[in-house]
Amino acid sequence: MRYMLMIYADEAAMANVPTEATYQMSAAYDAYTEALKKSGTWLAGDRLRPSQATTLVRMTDDKTSVLDGPYADTKEQLAGFYMIEAEDADAAIAWAARCPAASTGTVEVRPIWEMADYLPKK
């Protein structure tokens, strides 16, 4: 089953991290990503640009409404993600616990709702 590991971090706190700590954090993420890849679990993943680069799009009465970020009034913002293939939720949670973000922010584990699971059978 596929799972998204969504990484949430405090952007303001991250902006104040010293350069040496940033290099250490990058090395930890590189090692984690390599472990995912070696295990055959990794499907995709990337870091996201800060919430200031966010654009929200909504349709109301057939009109497009576009809002530029930042828009989140929360302490933590979505900072990146991994998509993994795991045997079950426990395995996905175990991988999330190994993610460097689990010790500094939050990692949300969410199963992918496969289209085949809800589309009518032909």
Side-chain angles (χ1 to χ4, degrees):
M1 179 170 214
R2 293 185 306 156
Y3 292 86
M4 288 291 293
L5 306 183
M6 293 176 280
I7 299 165
Y8 292 89
D10 182 340
E11 287 179 353
M14 294 302 292
N16 297 320
V17 173
T19 303
E20 182 60 33
T22 301
Y23 288 130
Q24 291 172 350
M25 189 181 323
S26 291
Y29 275 102
D30 289 346
Y32 176 70
T33 302
E34 191 58 33
L36 283 167
K37 288 179 178 180
K38 281 184 179 178
S39 74
T41 303
W42 187 86
L43 297 174
D46 245 317
R47 184 176 178 187
L48 299 175
R49 296 215 179 251
S51 61
Q52 294 150 302
T54 301
T55 301
L56 295 179
V57 178
R58 291 191 177 112
M59 291 294 294
T60 307
D61 299 325
D62 293 328
K63 292 184 182 179
T64 305
S65 173
V66 177
L67 252 116
D68 290 326
Y71 67 93
D73 289 331
T74 61
K75 182 180 177 190
E76 294 181 330
Q77 293 77 36
L78 184 59
F81 70 94
Y82 286 95
M83 184 184 299
I84 65 169
E85 181 77 37
E87 182 179 322
D88 55 28
D90 290 337
I93 290 167
W95 277 108
R98 292 177 60 182
C99 182
S103 62
T104 60
T106 304
V107 179
E108 179 181 345
V109 178
R110 190 178 301 184
I112 302 293
W113 197 342
E114 303 289 351
M115 290 183 106
D117 292 343
Y118 64 89
L119 288 178
K121 307 281 188 244
K122 292 184 178 183

